[in-house]
Amino acid sequence: MRHVISLLIENESGALSRVSGLFSARGYNIESLTVAPTEDASMSRMTIVTTGSDDIIEQITKQLNKLVEVVKVVDISEAAHIERELMLIKVRASGKDREEVKRTADIFRARIIDVTESSYVIELTGNQGKLDAFIGAIDADLILETVRSGICGIGRGDRVLKV
Amino acid sequence: MVLTGAEIVIRCLQEEKVEHVFGYPGGAVLFIYDALFQQDQVRHVLVRHEQAAVHAADGYARSTQKVGVALVTSGPGATNAVTGIATAFCDSIPMVIVSGQVPTAAIGQDAFQEVDTVGITRPCVKHNFLVKDVRDIAATMKKAFYLARTGRPGPVLVDIPKDVSMHKCEFEYPQDIAMRSYNPVVKGHQGQIRKAVQLLLEAKRPMIYTGGGVILSDAAEKLTRLTRLLGYPITNTLMGLGGYPASDRQYLGMPGMHGTFEANMAMHYSDVLLAVGARFDDRVIGNPAHFAEEPRKIIHVDIDPSSISKRVKVDVPIVGDVKEVLDEMIRQLESGEARPNPEALAAWWKQIEEWRSRNCMVFRNSDDIIKPQFVIQKLWEVTGGEAIVTSDVGQHQMWAAQYYGFDKPRRWLNSGGLGTMGVGLPYAMGAKLANPELPVACVTGEGSIQMNIQELSTCRQFRLPVKVCLLNNGYLGMVRQWQELFHGGRYSESYMDSLPDFAALARAYGHVGIRVDKPADVEGALREAFGTHKDELVFLDFQVDPTENVYPMVQGGKGLTEMILSAEDL
Ligand SMILES: Cc1ncc(C[n+]2csc(CCOP(=O)(O)OP(=O)(O)O)c2C)c(N)n1
């Protein structure tokens, strides 16, 4: 099962490698990991997408909690939550493809943020499925480069991850 | 007061009431050694190899309740220390390791004697720090000691670049420490404890199974009280020996791979199992699927939530300090009316006595050749069961654990988790320094002792009269045993040729060396070592039966009840 784990961690050098080292040492999967400081610069927030049985997810959260610099851990996928990922995708855009790509971007409510005579850079935010669908909708031969941020997640409503 | 970083490090050790530091100097720690030289509160023990420094500090910690401290230089000093750190980590031993690092400006430049110490040690420490500013040293040292000794204890490393140890700042040792990210639980959940007590009282076939957590939390007294109050059978793991007096009737011996028949059977067929500070290790419960076949309720008390429901499903988890939880259990039991069911308990004990009557620990003694088990029995007699016994890893370790009945905690020091050959002698050094009034014996093998034999020199310099009891079987015995049983008797590289004359070697280091060939001489040699030569290091080289194997045995992957009790079972 896929899980989205959010955590707050002291913004110390080496903190990221403690988390990634834990995953590799114990053989847990990481599908994606994103991290950046929060509004309180002394703390970072990390979103980790992982897969595993319930027992493994339980161990993952316990092991993360055990790391001395980790302040809080929640499995936000246990309840209603929102996931967003950012993608930048560079596509060939010349001739008849130019118009077609633009139309597809509009349908997905993506934005073209860089234009040359032969290419676009398109920015798209959404959940993983939407990003995957966009890639699927574009002719594979046109894709020059994609970069995805990995997922940021947040609980819906009153659920707050804070110290 | 304005001090250098190096002086601050030493002042912090003084503030933490550290009496002994085990270490080895080098370029990156020259300032720290200089500061050490100019005071006499903290005593430095100069080892002969950094691995031994860490092991000795570890042994010091295991035999006391104190945090062990080691000091090493950068690069090779730090890498030599890694085995020691990992050993302490696996057994949750509170330690602080201070390592020197190349100057901050040189970090990342492939400087002379530079390694990424924090990176290398990250997976085998509870936590580590690289101190980049002299103003952070005091708070970091305070945190290091706090982290090492609280919660589930463990080694903490503090890496200090040379320039940071040279810079100056105002010194003040912080009084308190608060870390928002680290708040270990102490008291167990009241409701859960009530549930556990209820379950224990309803049990028909109860069993108490305890591990190193009881020793680490200094809870042996509480455990003994609770066990006596209930009248239930109890077993202590390899790491938990001495948690309950081995000489008591309620004690069934050690469980697991080389545990007793009665302990393993009672573990397996219990209907309520109280696990305290133990972690259902593969060497203890064998195959978890086989263990799960028998229905039973499990209560698990541990300071570390990640130890609970890791290998077996637990019915009543209790996270908390073992001592506090046991204390609360006793309180609830004593204040309530309910007592265990006497008929059920009597029937259970009858069954257990039947298992016990198999006498699985008997071995065939001999008048011609020294049996290793016999040496341990004599060691127990001669020391009145009062010694601190350290061991290395192998057959001798199991025989020491099986045949030296430990009645008290912190008397048995061994590397249970990592299984590190070479810990025995440095553990004995640390234990002797910490407990000068107690006899200290290091039970070892000729393979293991050679992994840190250079420490005989340290023992001479610091006058550490430990007694080395070498069970010399001429083989890497435990390896040979597995090869005999599981690899068709093909003894691949388990025979050691060209062994030194250990007694002569010990003499060359300035100690007493005695070689013992005959069973009749075993007791005399031991009496000489602990009597006549009480104040000297004595190296006893016992020439033991090279073919002897450790039994009972549960093979890897097998269930607890599928034991080989003796060679005749094969
Ligand atoms: C550092 C290290 N290397 C290898 C091993 C694997 N090993 C476990 S027991 C053993 C044999 C130990 O031989 P010895 O010290 O002579 O003790 P004996 O089993 O003969 O009593 C070995 C090689 C280990 N535990 N530690």
Side-chain angles (χ1 to χ4, degrees), chain B residues 145-339:
Chain B
F145 277 89
Y146 170 65
L147 288 169
R149 72 162 78 91
T150 56
R152 179 176 179 168
V156 178
L157 178 133
V158 182
D159 200 25
I160 304 179
K162 187 167 185 175
D163 56 325
V164 175
S165 72
M166 205 173 69
H167 293 156
K168 287 183 175 171
C169 79
E170 183 68 30
F171 171 70
E172 197 190 335
Y173 201 58
Q175 286 308 305
D176 305 301
I177 200 90
M179 296 171 74
R180 63 180 167 185
S181 64
Y182 178 79
N183 298 293
V185 182
V186 177
K187 291 228 179 302
H189 189 278
Q190 284 276 335
Q192 290 292 93
I193 297 177
R194 197 160 301 122
K195 252 199 251 173
V197 169
Q198 188 63 33
L199 202 57
L200 279 169
L201 288 171
E202 288 164 5
K204 295 208 164 55
R205 300 184 308 280
M207 178 68 176
I208 303 173
Y209 144 61
T210 78
V214 169
I215 313 292
L216 290 168
S217 122
D218 270 320
E221 212 176 295
K222 299 274 178 221
L223 176 68
T224 306
R225 235 175 99 208
L226 179 73
T227 308
R228 297 233 163 104
L229 202 59
L230 289 165
Y232 291 174
I234 179 167
T235 178
N236 295 160
T237 68
L238 182 69
M239 290 310 297
L241 296 179
Y244 187 85
S247 56
D248 190 84
R249 202 189 68 88
Q250 278 170 255
Y251 184 65
L252 304 192
M254 191 169 72
M257 180 172 270
H258 294 299
T260 65
F261 183 64
E262 52 271 31
N264 283 346
M265 294 298 274
M267 283 275 285
H268 193 79
Y269 292 108
S270 61
D271 69 340
V272 174
L273 182 63
L274 170 63
V276 186
R279 57 192 178 95
F280 296 90
D281 180 76
D282 55 300
R283 287 290 191 264
V284 168
I285 61 159
N287 181 342
H290 181 273
F291 187 67
E293 277 169 18
E294 204 63 26
R296 71 177 84 68
K297 292 259 187 269
I298 298 179
I299 303 160
H300 192 173
V301 184
D302 205 290
I303 187 87
D304 178 2
S306 74
S307 280
I308 297 179
S309 287
K310 183 169 72 178
R311 292 184 31 86
V312 299
K313 264 264 157 286
V314 167
D315 301 279
V316 185
I318 303 172
V319 177
D321 182 80
V322 162
K323 194 175 179 177
E324 299 280 339
V325 174
L326 292 177
D327 195 44
E328 177 59 22
M329 283 183 165
I330 294 169
R331 202 193 59 75
Q332 290 192 11
L333 266 170
E334 285 182 336
S335 64
E337 298 287 285
R339 288 292 173 267

Side-chain angles (χ1 to χ4, degrees), chain A residues 10 17 42 59 62 66 68, chain B residues 122 180-181 304 306 308:
Chain A
E10 295 290 351
S17 55
S42 70
Q59 266 300 311
K62 283 175 171 176
K66 215 163 107 175
V68 166
Chain B
R122 189 175 295 129
R180 63 180 167 185
S181 64
D304 178 2
S306 74
I308 297 179

Side-chain angles (χ1 to χ4, degrees), chain B residues 469-489:
Chain B
C469 301
L470 168 60
L471 303 183
N472 191 343
N473 54 12
Y475 279 99
L476 300 174
M478 191 54 97
V479 174
R480 189 202 52 73
Q481 174 168 348
W482 284 54
Q483 289 171 336
E484 177 187 333
L485 300 180
F486 315 126
H487 295 276

